[in-house]
Amino acid sequence: MVQLDDLDRAILRLLKEDARLTISEIAERLNRPESTVHFRIKKLQERGIIDRYTIVLGEALRPKAVALVYIQVETPIIEDFLEKYINHIMKTLSILPNVLAVARSTKDSLVALVGEENEEKLNKFIDETIRVLPTLKRVEVIPLTELVKGGDVIGFLVRV
Amino acid sequence: MVQLDDLDRAILRLLKEDARLTISEIAERLNRPESTVHFRIKKLQERGIIDRYTIVLGEALRPKAVALVYIQVETPIIEDFLEKYINHIMKTLSILPNVLAVARSTKDSLVALVGEENEEKLNKFIDETIRVLPTLKRVEVIPLTELVKGGDVIGFLVRV
DNA sequence: TATGAAAGACATCATGT
DNA sequence: ACATGATGTCTTTCATA
């Protein structure tokens, strides 16, 4: 369904590294004419393969302590309530600036990626904002001490 | 330590949404001269606050089924071995294209974000590549069914 | 640090091979 | 897919406040 040839992939890889490369620079590196590179990029954008261009923020603005928080809620008698309650928690967490990402997991659980300046503040946040939520069955905190792959994902997620 | 004024933040927010906005467009939206906006962006880059420019890949290239895999290894007698073994696992996983991110957690655990076309392939991958690793104490799979905040993080992480 | 103006570089598009 | 050229826009630099 998604047809990409070597040139498309090469262009995407270069833009992923540095989206500010000029068409002429890309053309030179790949030994292709500028007009071709321009045409390909235009198509990649139109096809939605390039979704958007963005910046990654540097260390200075990234939280130093991050953790995944797995939240499982108590299963009520009425299942419809569970759905609404989980959605409510997710929306509530999403608003907070130190909640970098929120994802639904199973029927009765969700995960949040949280960040703070340091460990103490992070734990304080988890204790005072998450653990206090009513009718939780389980809260599992998975600290992330070192990012090996996807190392700058925090710089991508953090807001200013 | 990081001094950002309102103008800096406004510029960063705009670039985060769309890093291809021209200086003149940004200048117009913020009612500032182009040269000022140019100067600020230059400084933000020099200070490393803007780390880099990149693209987010669209739905077509994103894995449809993603999950966090929490991996805890058996603690051996010799602690030095634990360290080396965990590093080895992390490096091994990092090479794989459907492993989107890898992070160290505690002394004896790590987390991987894995993605595949569909659920079956994802489970197959986890079973055949992760669960088979020797001396694991616990493997916890947390499927991510819906990303509420940070929704395009997969498009940021995925490689071509 | 901020600004205005000027010069050069660039993307974009049309046309044709 | 590639080449070329024309056009308007953008970035970058610099002098000045």
Side-chain angles (χ1 to χ4, degrees), chain B residues 26-112:
Chain B
I26 297 169
E28 199 177 348
R29 293 198 201 183
L30 303 177
N31 289 311
R32 303 290 177 119
E34 295 180 16
S35 49
T36 300
V37 173
H38 178 263
F39 179 76
R40 291 300 190 103
I41 292 177
K42 202 178 147 200
K43 285 293 169 196
L44 289 168
Q45 287 169 170
E46 285 170 5
R47 291 204 274 161
I49 289 166
I50 295 175
D51 184 46
R52 63 192 189 93
Y53 294 77
T54 191
I55 55 173
V56 178
L57 299 179
E59 294 288 351
L61 292 179
R62 299 181 196 171
K64 300 309 172 262
V66 293
L68 287 165
V69 183
Y70 174 82
I71 303 166
Q72 190 180 20
V73 313
E74 204 72 62
T75 317
I77 314 293
I78 304 151
E79 203 173 282
D80 187 48
F81 182 78
L82 178 63
E83 194 61 24
K84 281 177 184 158
Y85 183 48
I86 289 210
N87 282 332
H88 172 257
I89 295 178
M90 291 200 293
K91 270 172 197 150
T92 306
L93 291 177
S94 293
I95 297 165
L96 304 172
N98 50 344
V99 174
L100 301 171
V102 178
R104 177 69 177 270
S105 186
T106 59
K107 251 192 176 53
D108 64 348
S109 67
L110 62 109
V111 189

Side-chain angles (χ1 to χ4, degrees), chain A residues 8 37 42 46 56 77 110 129 133 137 145 149-150 156 160:
Chain A
D8 288 324
V37 173
K42 201 180 150 199
E46 284 170 4
V56 178
I77 313 293
L110 63 111
T129 314
L133 294 169
K137 188 190 277 177
T145 54
K149 189 175 186 178
F156 169 76
V160 294

Side-chain angles (χ1 to χ4, degrees), chain A residues 3-22:
Chain A
Q3 285 299 25
L4 292 180
D5 64 10
D6 290 347
L7 179 56
D8 288 324
R9 267 185 288 271
I11 291 171
L12 290 174
R13 258 179 254 122
L14 286 175
L15 287 177
K16 211 148 202 324
E17 266 181 40
D18 181 3
R20 267 181 33 132
L21 285 174
T22 63

Side-chain angles (χ1 to χ4, degrees), chain B residues 7-20:
Chain B
L7 180 55
D8 289 324
R9 266 185 289 271
I11 291 170
L12 291 175
R13 257 179 258 123
L14 288 175
L15 287 177
K16 209 146 204 326
E17 266 181 40
D18 181 4
R20 265 180 36 130

